[in-house]
Amino acid sequence: MSRDARYDILFEPVRIGPVTAKNRFYQTPHCNGMGRGFPAGMAEMRGIKAEGGWAVVCTEEVEVHETSDHSPVVEGRLWDDGDIPVFARMAEKIHAHGGLAGLQPNHSGYTVANHSTREIPIGPGDMPVEPYVPVQARAMDKADIKALRRWYVDAAKRAKAADFDIVYDYCAHNMSMQMHFLSRRFNRRIDEYGGSLENRVRLFREVLEDTKEAVGDRCAVAVRFAVDELMGPDGLTCDGEARDVIEMLADLPDLWDVNISEWSNDSQTSRFADQDFQGDYTAFVKQMTSKPVVGVGRFTSPDMMAGLIRKGRLDLIGAARPSIADPFLPKKIEDGRIEDIRECIGCNICVSGDFTSTPIRCTQNPTMGEEWRKGWHPEVIPAKKTDSHVLVVGAGPAGLEAARALGQRGYAVTLAEAGDALGGRVAAESALPGLSEWIRVRDHRQWRIEQTADVSVYLRSRLTAEQVLELEADHVVLATGARWRADGVGRALTDPVPGLDALPVHTPDDLMAGRLPDGPVLLFDDDHYYMGGVLAELLRDAGRDAILATPAADVSHFTHFTLEQERIQRTLLERGVEIRAQRTLARLEAGGAVLACRFTGREERVACAAAVLVTARLPERALYDALTAEPEALEAAGVKSVTRIGDCLAPGTIAAAVYSGHRYARELDEPPKDGLPFRRERVALPVAGR
Ligand code: ADP
Ligand code: SF4
């Protein structure tokens, strides 16, 4: 297939200072939880992006000095020349596919505590370090500012030595010293670096000029700049100081990479923002500079991308998450394979890897972060080793991905689903408030399966053990999912909650099936991810009064890791959900429930007509138990293996279910390797004398 002429504009080269991007697809800097901790994994992942057609592939933020130590969070690190080989490997991988490599050096100032190095953090003034830690940054004097400028120059030179093509001056997300100096909130200096905008922008400008002087002969110098902080006059605004800054620096950088900040605004989930959600803020930038402009907005639609270029809104289509969900997005557009694009669902599970200091993962792309250590390529999978017939039972995310990937390997696959549609939990959950884009998990796999001759799909087929045996499959994969518990057992309660008969009790499965309780409703959330908060919204939408009680300090606590927690809590409060945090559920009674303070045990009665318990799930393992109870029957039917995957094995995230299905498909008939199921990156012992 060849590409649609409508998208030709996306494949025009763009000059960026002394270098040229081969097309308009630009992977903006993004964290990945690998960086300094898993450098081979990081380099391989970036190289695959270039292979997938991204003309520019950037690093995450790269620490420039030991006073900018993100530990335990894993970022890039370029403290001295010894770190150059890591980035040289990355640049080499990107260049091998004709991409340009971009590096984002950063000093994070007062936003890092330097837990590992124990250096005193520095900032524009004396100020507490941002996370809740008993550490303060000290105010920088002129010698510190001079040293900081030198660290940035050293980092730029190291980037050049590592053969990078683009070096950044980073002033966004409230994560860089340049932004802290620019911000009126943090910069109260009375010297030439404080006060007027001209003074506050000085450091940003100096780093830009220094970097140009140091490496500008061969490297483009880009800026990443926050044009709005969504906090009105307290922050940068696109019609205020941010606009003035762009006017002041207009043509000084070789490229403007612009966004809204902080990170939770820049990487909003689909629950809160649609594609191109930054457009209203960044649109003006093109009018202020003759240099190319990059913007992001979770772009997955090639029509929208081409439209933005045509309208003169952007010169380059920036992407972090769409390039994670589908590293081959540009190539698929180029080859005319639009339907094959694995569109990001905007869930931010990718972000959670950063917060847990672990390699990145993605709901849509199970190979993300596994490119090096497992050798998984997002598009290529080894051909089948045998002519086995595989029966997959259950078409939720795990079963769908297993069937899709087994089909790609060439296996004959039968996929049986009890319901009258594919998708399992994804079909149900995507109907909840704000989660409609999650259906892309199903739609992508369904489409791929429809293109695969050897995968036969049977709907309305709830299989019994006898029926499984009759199908004479060589391998049986059970992806039958899980159901929510109805007894309150979870993290806080290890025994069923007393009084389960006292009033109607509902589970998330009931609500998703349309069985809503009468209000007022007490929702007890001991799950802590999105479900409790989303169901509280659903109840309010249906006109029920709702009280959300949780043992955690705030609602949907895990969503701090997906950058959503504040938006979720704000939404619930604005919708009139009553929130009782740090409470456990003591018992249910006629007409009410009794909550208990987690710390004192003090009890409080809330009046309600029903309870919704969002605590834990149990695997649907009846079919597995029935099959494995009769090993002789399995043998007689020629079944060589019965394997549980996804929620049927252990309930988890949708990302975990997709990964589980993918892993099964990858490993079928593959001889086990020695030791761990993946390659390790080891910390090397120091060379003698160093
Ligand atoms: P996962 O997240 O692990 O993919 P889901 O709960 O999303 O799990 O999907 C499980 C799917 O399995 C559901 O669509 C359900 O209808 C289906 N299912 C459960 N038991 C059977 C069965 N015995 N035969 C066929 N399909 C089943
Ligand atoms: Fe998109 Fe979710 Fe994948 Fe992140 S984890 S890239 S938000 S699909």
Side-chain angles (χ1 to χ4, degrees):
M1 274 188 278
S2 61
R3 90 172 167 242
D4 188 319
R6 279 179 303 169
Y7 309 135
D8 285 352
I9 197 167
L10 297 171
F11 293 89
E12 292 168 351
V14 180
R15 181 128 196 106
I16 309 171
V19 298
T20 301
K22 66 177 179 183
N23 62 37
R24 297 184 188 269
F25 293 95
Y26 191 109
Q27 184 244 274
T28 49
H30 73 75
C31 299
N32 56 91
M34 295 196 279
R36 66 173 165 80
F38 304 87
M42 182 275 290
E44 191 73 18
M45 179 270 285
R46 301 292 190 196
I48 280 182
K49 303 269 195 93
E51 186 189 343
W54 298 87
V56 178
V57 179
C58 298
T59 59
E60 62 274 50
E61 60 178 306
V62 176
E63 303 166 354
V64 295
H65 192 252
E66 62 269 20
T67 53
S68 179
D69 159 32
H70 274 85
S71 308
V73 172
V74 181
E75 303 293 349
R77 182 165 283 175
L78 205 40
W79 290 353
D80 61 34
D81 290 356
D83 294 320
I84 292 174
V86 169
F87 294 96
R89 161 94 67 106
M90 171 177 158
E92 187 191 319
K93 296 268 174 192
I94 294 166
H95 290 160
H97 300 286
L100 298 176
L103 192 136
Q104 183 179 265
N106 188 35
H107 195 296
S108 298
Y110 87 100
T111 56
V112 290
N114 299 335
H115 287 300
S116 165
T117 62
R118 302 179 70 174
E119 294 294 332
I120 302 291
I122 52 177
D126 290 301
M127 56 213 290
V129 162
E130 204 188 30
Y132 299 133
V133 290
V135 178
Q136 281 209 188
R138 67 171 176 81
M140 293 164 75
D141 60 21
K142 294 287 175 49
D144 292 320
I145 294 175
K146 220 169 137 196
L148 175 78
R149 289 175 60 185
R150 200 181 62 245
W151 302 334
Y152 272 121
V153 166
D154 291 346
K157 287 182 177 163
R158 289 179 186 127
K160 187 179 173 190
D163 214 11
F164 270 71
D165 309 284
I166 301 173
V167 180
Y168 267 85
D169 176 10
Y170 179 41
C171 187
H173 298 127
N174 196 37
M175 283 186 202
S176 78
M177 193 75 89
Q178 292 90 308
M179 185 149 177
H180 305 155
F181 270 70
L182 180 57
S183 168
R184 277 183 310 228
R185 298 199 300 289
F186 308 115
N187 183 346
R188 305 294 166 110
R189 298 177 73 94
I190 51 169
D191 60 5
E192 68 268 33
Y193 286 93
S196 68
L197 181 62
E198 197 148 51
N199 283 354
R200 283 182 280 120
V201 87
R202 192 178 305 280
L203 180 67
F204 183 27
R205 179 200 288 273
E206 284 174 347
V207 173
L208 186 53
E209 288 168 345
D210 292 347
T211 308
K212 283 199 98 164
E213 199 186 317
V215 300
D217 57 330
R218 195 181 63 64
C219 302
V221 181
V223 296
R224 189 143 220 231
F225 184 58
V227 299
D228 209 296
E229 296 182 89
L230 307 192
M231 59 197 313
D234 288 343
L236 292 168
T237 56
C238 58
D239 51 7
E241 286 198 335
R243 178 182 284 265
D244 298 339
V245 170
I246 296 181
E247 202 167 4
M248 288 158 97
L249 303 182
D251 286 345
L252 204 52
D254 294 317
L255 173 136
W256 283 93
D257 174 353
V258 289
N259 67 12
I260 55 175
S261 289
E262 55 185 1
W263 192 13
S264 61
N265 292 327
D266 191 18
S267 290
Q268 287 180 57
T269 58
S270 57
R271 190 166 164 189
F272 296 101
D274 292 331
Q275 192 176 189
D276 194 28
F277 60 97
Q278 310 208 5
D280 290 346
Y281 300 94
T282 56
F284 75 96
V285 180
K286 273 283 288 165
Q287 273 90 61
M288 322 270 304
T289 176
S290 66
K291 299 302 168 97
V293 175
V294 183
V296 291
R298 218 161 43 73
F299 300 122
T300 56
S301 153
D303 287 309
M304 175 173 277
M305 297 176 200
L308 291 172
I309 306 290
R310 250 182 229 113
K311 276 187 269 180
R313 268 262 313 276
L314 297 173
D315 299 292
L316 292 137
I317 301 298
R321 291 173 292 176
S323 76
I324 294 167
D326 197 340
F328 273 61
L329 182 148
K331 196 123 197 24
K332 288 176 182 177
I333 299 174
E334 191 168 23
D335 296 346
R337 293 186 287 133
I338 306 300
E339 295 90 343
D340 203 12
I341 295 173
R342 211 166 33 243
E343 289 183 282
C344 166
I345 69 165
C347 64
N348 278 5
I349 277 295
C350 48
V351 171
S352 72
D354 204 46
F355 284 102
T356 52
S357 307
T358 49
I360 189 169
R361 61 214 55 202
C362 169
T363 301
Q364 275 286 57
N365 175 10
T367 68
M368 180 45 54
E370 305 295 346
E371 299 84 353
W372 182 84
R373 69 175 183 176
K374 285 206 163 104
W376 288 1
H377 188 281
E379 300 300 312
V380 183
I381 190 164
K384 64 179 182 178
K385 292 276 161 42
T386 68
D387 284 331
S388 296
H389 165 217
V390 188
L391 169 65
V392 180
V393 186
L400 280 172
E401 176 62 14
R404 184 209 65 75
L406 287 165
Q408 191 185 353
R409 291 191 65 189
Y411 285 101
V413 181
T414 301
L415 175 61
E417 164 55 47
D420 52 15
L422 301 179
R425 66 182 284 196
V426 164
E429 292 179 19
S430 61
L432 293 171
L435 304 187
S436 60
E437 275 193 25
W438 291 21
I439 200 63
R440 292 172 172 180
V441 173
R442 177 195 71 188
D443 291 349
H444 173 72
R445 289 168 177 83
Q446 182 169 345
W447 185 83
R448 288 287 299 267
I449 285 170
E450 283 163 8
Q451 314 308 306
T452 314
D454 282 342
V455 182
S456 316
V457 178
Y458 298 91
L459 293 173
R460 292 171 287 278
S461 305
R462 180 175 292 282
L463 298 189
T464 61
E466 293 70 38
Q467 288 167 326
V468 168
L469 296 178
E470 278 163 23
L471 285 166
E472 294 184 340
D474 297 296
H475 300 282
V476 176
V477 186
L478 299 174
T480 48
R483 66 183 184 285
W484 286 90
R485 296 186 74 122
D487 58 5
V489 170
R491 292 173 173 85
L493 304 181
T494 48
D495 285 314
V497 61
L500 283 167
D501 296 336
L503 81 179
V505 169
H506 288 66
T507 68
D509 293 319
D510 293 325
L511 271 64
M512 286 189 277
R515 296 188 292 274
L516 260 61
D518 292 332
V521 180
L522 170 81
L523 188 151
F524 179 61
D525 182 5
D526 196 18
D527 171 63
H528 309 290
Y529 192 16
Y530 54 89
M531 187 57 80
V534 165
L535 292 182
E537 250 186 279
L538 179 80
L539 289 167
R540 289 301 294 140
D541 288 351
R544 313 293 199 270
D545 285 340
I547 305 159
L548 189 156
T550 177
D554 45 23
V555 302
S556 302
H557 189 76
F558 180 79
T559 63
H560 282 284
F561 291 173
T562 57
L563 303 170
E564 296 169 290
Q565 199 284 328
E566 286 188 20
R567 279 191 167 79
I568 292 173
Q569 188 135 356
R570 184 159 62 240
T571 303
L572 296 190
L573 289 169
E574 281 168 356
R575 298 256 171 107
V577 175
E578 231 180 276
I579 293 171
R580 296 276 209 284
Q582 299 179 330
R583 305 287 203 290
T584 189
L585 181 57
R587 60 190 171 280
L588 301 173
E589 299 176 343
V594 176
L595 306 177
C597 169
R598 265 189 58 203
F599 305 104
T600 63
R602 195 175 301 134
E603 293 190 347
E604 162 195 15
R605 188 174 194 279
V606 291
C608 60
V612 174
L613 302 179
V614 188
T615 58
R617 288 179 290 156
L618 287 170
E620 286 283 10
R621 53 176 295 157
L623 184 55
Y624 176 78
D625 290 339
L627 284 167
T628 50
E630 310 266 1
E632 303 80 17
L634 286 173
E635 205 184 326
V639 175
K640 298 189 188 77
S641 71
V642 179
T643 310
R644 291 188 291 158
I645 61 169
D647 293 328
C648 171
L649 179 62
T653 59
I654 297 168
V658 171
Y659 171 83
S660 170
H662 191 83
R663 181 175 179 181
Y664 176 84
R666 286 263 177 186
E667 293 181 351
L668 182 62
D669 293 330
E670 292 294 332
K673 295 194 182 70
D674 294 339
L676 296 174
F678 49 79
R679 282 198 282 176
R680 282 182 63 198
E681 299 198 44
R682 293 176 199 275
V683 178
L685 285 169
V687 179
R690 295 195 62 194

